Amino acid sequence: MIERPVRHRRAAWVVRGAGRGGAPSLRRSRYAQVRLREVEGLLLGPAEVSEVYGPAPTAYLLEELLDTTGEWVGLLGDDAGRTWVAMSDFHGFGHLFWVVRPAEDGQDVYLGTTLDAVVDRLRADGHRLEVDWAVAHTTLASNHVLLRNQWSRRTLVEGVRCLRPDELLVVDHRGVGTVPRPMTTDPQGRSYDELLDAGVERAAGLLTQVADAVPDVRVFASGGKDSRVVLSLLDHAGVLGHASFVAADPSRWADAAGRKELWRDLVVSDELRTAAGRPWYVEPDYEDRMLSFAESIAHHQSFYAGSQWAASAERQLRWPTVPYVAVRGGAGELMRTAYRAIRTGRPFSVMEQQPASLPADLRRLHGLVVHGGVTLPDAARAAGEEAVAEAFSLLPDAPVGEQVDAHYRLHRNRSHFGHVLHSAHRRSLALHPLATPEFLRAAQLLPFAERDLGLAAFDVIERLRPDLNRHRLASGSWPAQVWERRGGAPSPLPQAPRGPFGRERVPSYFDAEDHNHFRRGWTSGPLRFDIRTAAQTRAVRDLWRLHELAPEQAPAGLVADLADLVSRNALNPATTVVRLASVLRALDGPVTDPPAGLEVRVSPGRGLPWARRVAPAPVRTGPPGSVRDLRGYAESAPSAGLETFEVDPRTEPGIYCHLELSGGELLARRVGAERAGWRLEHTFTLVRGKEEVAGTTTTDSQVSFGAPGGPGPHRVLLTARCLDRPEVVVRATSPQVVVPVPGQDAEDGAAS
């Protein structure tokens, strides 16, 4: 059992004494003089895989780090300390937040691994903080996938920026600013074929290096194209021969609409597994800790505050006893295009989708991403439209569809697949071989329409395992346009698997998966909260707290709209909780737990009247860092990346509804909310099947509906309204209770 809750290490750096301008200089000839000084996260290169927190063990040159992947952020400097450079890994999986504040001797630059880390360090230094309301209003009012994570350079906090992966932050005696970093273009000017070949060797080299150190390698397979690229790379690297296969279980998939496609995925994955002669994986034992709601949110925020809002509010922290490597087909959108369903769907069909119509199309985009049930004040809507237009206007002379695709690369991809550290700290090292710089650059050399077809992925497979291109996909085969461009389709053309589907179709999978399902469902104790109701209650409470702190920017009408949508689950409650957590932290969060800190200074330049003659040595605060290599990961060696923390262990108040059949009567009661001190009025509605059969409103927390009016499944819908603040409404649904047909129990007993 994990004895105490854990969170990820947060760090903040301060670079003092920068010039007062906004145009620093970083000529490419200077790259050889700027070296890595400080780093936080997991580096997949340049020479080895290492997880580092604090001083860099190897002073890599900036040139060496530009294409280094992983999930990390770094601070680099020259030997004289006159130039400082901040950067992330190539894809920006590591997020770096930064803000500039005026100082007596120039400007101070604050940087942090999360938005909360920057906020805490700013407040510790006495700086006043404001919310960026244009971003906050739009973000809080949206469930849309385009805004599910950090979607702009701007953040929820005024003035704080999120560094994009296609830029470097430079700090010197001239000032502070960003300079372009090559991402989609190749600095060496290599051709399409040369880039694909280089990408294959980079990906295969990483797979070999990791597999040599960590023997348990698992391939997360599907019947799709990205999975086929992964298999070809694993085979090329010599790793496929000792990997096991993992696939999603369609029989237990919650979304019924997606099960048929998952059955096709499973059938094709089993065919590929059989051809490779590899087994299905078997889950190891686990150790765990049951989490309260407060612990769960704190754990999430330590990794993702300000960057990833799709919070799952985990009720259990689980670690396998044996570390492993999870090889996934993530980031395949970088080899083709993203958001295809959105770009070709109905909302975009009303847009002209021409370069000349971009301003008008971007204004329409705001209406698409904001929930229709939220009435934003006119000024807030106008500011939000401007913020969205700024964030999605990324390419010169390109229509809105291509702008959205570019936005995925710079924003959504970072959080969609940027969970490498989160997985590694749970002994699951996630590798995405498709997230390789050369693959991205090769794909960018193709016309948009050909990239949309997935030609780059097809060509990688064709180089390594052409037979895999001709083995059927879950969807059947590659599009006809691909075969037309690549020499013609095979005959006969592969066909998608057809039903009937069932467990008997893939018995070997379920022999392992039934065991895995049991182990994944194991807990060391009872669940401590219900996700939806706990998140709804916390979100509604925090929304009205926001109104109290900023009544003009968060007026009662707007907050009431948001609270109503949250209480009906129309806006995701847990997502709203973590968004509000960062907003409220900026407005009134106390500094009780500062991040690990590093403070450096720009060495004086000539002729600066405010410059000091002697630059002080770097100042460190907080817990020490650490370095862990692949061997250390394989042996579960400790890492400074995880630290224990203290939080109120009690579950925060939630409105729950309980229903039971007792003494021949259906009894419903509200559970929870006592800690909040709320006086509540309850509306209990009894539902049999889909029919509402009874209802009552009372201040009592329990009600009897008497004897059931008939057999069948029953549940109760509860609406709880705060008497002191009628606008605060929370809803909950009871577990289902099945009333048997009279005499059925006796008949069943006689039959048995």
Side-chain angles (χ1 to χ4, degrees):
M1 178 179 175
I2 303 168
E3 295 184 359
R4 297 177 64 190
V6 294
R7 68 181 181 193
H8 192 246
R9 168 184 162 110
R10 300 164 305 128
W13 308 323
V14 184
V15 183
R16 301 197 186 276
R20 292 192 171 97
S25 174
L26 185 65
R27 297 186 303 273
R28 197 165 188 91
S29 60
R30 292 271 295 154
Y31 283 16
Q33 301 172 35
V34 180
R35 294 181 175 272
L36 186 63
R37 307 298 180 189
E38 196 81 4
V39 65
E40 297 278 327
L42 177 70
L43 295 92
L44 302 179
E48 60 183 0
V49 176
S50 59
E51 185 185 352
V52 184
Y53 300 95
T58 304
Y60 291 117
L61 295 172
L62 173 57
E63 188 79 48
E64 298 176 285
L65 293 168
L66 288 175
D67 289 353
T68 297
T69 59
E71 187 179 345
W72 58 272
V73 294
L75 183 65
L76 300 82
D78 59 12
D79 291 340
R82 293 187 177 182
T83 300
W84 295 92
V85 178
M87 66 185 301
S88 70
D89 59 87
F90 177 83
H91 295 96
F93 290 156
H95 286 72
L96 189 64
F97 297 86
W98 64 280
V99 63
V100 180
R101 290 296 168 97
E104 292 182 1
D105 57 353
Q107 298 186 101
D108 293 343
V109 185
Y110 291 79
L111 308 103
T113 54
T114 67
L115 180 59
D116 289 359
V118 174
V119 165
D120 289 352
R121 183 56 202 260
L122 285 168
R123 180 169 279 114
D125 281 6
H127 291 286
R128 190 168 180 268
L129 297 161
E130 298 286 349
V131 173
D132 187 330
W133 289 105
V135 174
H137 287 145
T138 304
T139 302
L140 289 171
S142 178
N143 255 349
H144 201 280
V145 65
L146 291 175
L147 270 60
R148 198 167 290 168
N149 51 274
Q150 179 59 42
W151 50 272
S152 170
R153 279 194 181 100
R154 295 165 63 176
T155 70
L156 295 168
V157 180
E158 183 68 41
V160 179
R161 297 292 182 259
C162 184
L163 190 68
R164 288 195 333 207
D166 65 343
E167 57 192 13
L168 304 169
L169 180 67
V170 181
V171 183
D172 63 16
H173 69 276
R174 294 179 181 84
V176 183
T178 58
V179 299
R181 172 185 180 179
M183 188 177 188
T184 58
T185 58
D186 183 46
Q188 302 177 43
R190 288 172 289 185
S191 68
Y192 176 77
D193 289 327
E194 289 172 331
L195 285 167
L196 287 186
D197 291 340
V200 165
E201 294 314 308
R202 181 193 289 266
L206 176 62
L207 290 169
T208 301
Q209 182 182 3
V210 172
D212 285 346
V214 187
D216 188 350
V217 178
R218 305 179 192 176
V219 186
F220 284 69
S222 73
K225 305 175 183 70
D226 296 343
S227 182
R228 211 62 58 93
V229 179
V230 169
L231 291 177
S232 65
L233 289 169
L234 283 166
D235 190 49
H236 180 71
V239 176
L240 184 60
H242 59 269
S244 57
F245 275 58
V246 183
D249 181 354
S251 70
R252 297 182 174 99
W253 196 253
D255 180 13
R259 288 176 193 159
K260 187 173 183 179
E261 187 61 37
L262 285 179
W263 276 114
R264 292 193 182 102
D265 275 331
L266 180 57
V267 168
V268 173
S269 296
D270 189 54
E271 292 170 353
L272 296 170
R273 178 199 64 82
T274 301
R278 303 309 304 155
W280 292 109
Y281 88 114
V282 176
E283 289 271 7
D285 288 330
Y286 281 87
E287 54 183 334
D288 80 334
R289 176 184 174 83
M290 308 310 296
L291 297 176
S292 72
F293 185 72
E295 290 170 345
S296 178
I297 295 300
H299 179 81
H300 176 275
Q301 290 294 83
S302 70
F303 282 93
Y304 303 124
S307 62
Q308 170 62 281
W309 296 312
S312 59
E314 297 171 286
R315 296 182 289 184
Q316 181 190 30
L317 182 64
R318 303 173 70 247
W319 290 347
T321 55
V322 179
Y324 66 93
V325 178
V327 185
R328 301 177 180 270
E333 290 84 351
L334 300 183
M335 296 184 70
R336 49 180 193 278
T337 59
Y339 295 134
R340 195 172 194 279
I342 295 175
R343 289 186 287 105
T344 58
R346 182 176 178 182
F348 268 59
S349 66
V350 302
M351 301 180 183
E352 294 184 36
Q353 299 209 44
Q354 299 294 325
S357 68
L358 182 62
D361 288 345
L362 289 175
R363 284 194 298 274
R364 295 187 184 101
L365 191 60
H366 182 267
L368 169 65
V369 298
V370 170
H371 196 287
V374 180
T375 303
L376 289 170
D378 290 343
R381 180 172 295 278
E385 288 178 352
E386 182 180 344
V388 169
E390 175 189 341
F392 284 84
S393 183
L394 299 166
L395 303 173
D397 195 32
V400 66
E402 293 185 30
Q403 304 286 357
V404 168
D405 174 69
H407 188 271
Y408 180 94
R409 180 179 70 251
L410 297 174
H411 293 283
R412 172 67 177 156
N413 180 68
R414 305 174 65 181
S415 295
H416 197 187
F417 299 109
H419 51 73
V420 180
L421 279 174
H422 189 266
S423 297
H425 289 309
R426 298 187 177 203
R427 297 175 183 158
S428 171
L429 179 57
L431 296 182
H432 302 111
L434 278 65
T436 297
E438 290 83 0
F439 289 159
L440 167 61
R441 290 168 177 159
Q444 290 291 320
L445 292 176
L446 297 172
F448 187 84
E450 293 192 352
R451 183 153 49 93
D452 198 36
L453 291 172
L455 277 179
F458 181 94
D459 290 341
V460 170
I461 301 169
E462 200 71 1
R463 276 168 160 71
L464 306 176
R465 285 285 304 274
D467 59 300
L468 293 180
N469 271 335
R470 289 150 185 82
H471 190 103
R472 65 177 173 177
L473 301 165
S475 58
S477 178
W478 287 89
Q481 301 96 313
V482 172
W483 293 115
E484 290 170 5
R485 289 166 169 80
R486 293 297 185 263
S491 181
L493 196 67
Q495 300 295 312
R498 302 177 65 179
F501 297 114
R503 295 168 66 93
E504 67 282 353
R505 186 90 174 255
V506 276
S508 62
Y509 171 80
F510 287 100
D511 287 345
E513 184 58 22
D514 288 344
H515 164 85
N516 296 339
H517 180 73
F518 172 79
R519 282 194 167 171
R520 284 195 297 268
W522 176 86
T523 65
S524 61
L527 299 175
R528 297 173 63 182
F529 65 93
D530 174 78
I531 294 174
R532 185 176 70 175
T533 51
Q536 283 176 338
T537 307
R538 166 78 177 268
V540 170
R541 184 196 71 184
D542 286 354
L543 280 167
W544 289 106
R545 175 60 178 159
L546 180 63
H547 170 66
E548 292 172 355
L549 293 170
E552 294 185 7
Q553 296 86 355
L558 171 60
V559 168
D561 282 351
L562 295 173
D564 179 64
L565 291 170
V566 165
S567 67
R568 292 191 283 111
N569 225 41
L571 285 177
N572 186 285
T575 294
T576 303
V577 166
V578 296
R579 287 168 168 169
L580 284 168
S582 290
V583 173
L584 293 175
R585 197 181 192 100
L587 290 175
D588 72 341
V591 185
T592 58
D593 190 15
L598 171 71
E599 187 174 315
V600 298
R601 179 171 288 278
V602 176
S603 294
R606 296 179 181 177
L608 296 179
W610 60 83
R612 299 180 180 180
R613 293 183 178 274
V614 179
V619 177
R620 295 185 182 277
T621 56
S626 70
V627 178
R628 184 170 71 165
D629 60 13
L630 276 173
R631 292 293 178 188
Y633 169 77
E635 296 168 1
S636 296
S639 162
L642 277 187
E643 55 189 22
T644 59
F645 70 105
E646 297 293 340
V647 70
D648 186 344
R650 296 173 294 178
T651 295
E652 293 176 276
I655 301 298
Y656 305 86
C657 187
H658 180 70
L659 178 66
E660 61 182 333
L661 184 61
S662 177
E665 296 185 346
L666 286 168
L667 300 177
R669 60 189 173 94
R670 183 214 78 212
V671 181
E674 286 82 2
R675 275 188 59 209
W678 290 349
R679 294 173 53 244
L680 298 174
E681 178 185 77
H682 313 90
T683 298
F684 294 94
T685 303
L686 180 65
V687 178
R688 181 173 64 239
K690 296 182 179 181
E691 178 187 3
E692 294 185 4
V693 294
T696 184
T697 299
T698 177
T699 56
D700 294 335
S701 61
Q702 180 170 307
V703 66
S704 172
F705 286 103
H714 290 67
R715 58 193 172 93
V716 167
L717 310 179
L718 168 62
T719 300
R721 186 179 300 275
C722 183
L723 290 173
D724 299 328
R725 303 189 64 169
E727 69 274 8
V728 176
V729 180
V730 180
R731 295 175 173 85
T733 304
S734 75
Q736 181 175 277
V737 171
V738 178
V739 176
V741 176
Q744 180 174 309
D745 287 345
E747 293 173 5
D748 291 346
S752 60

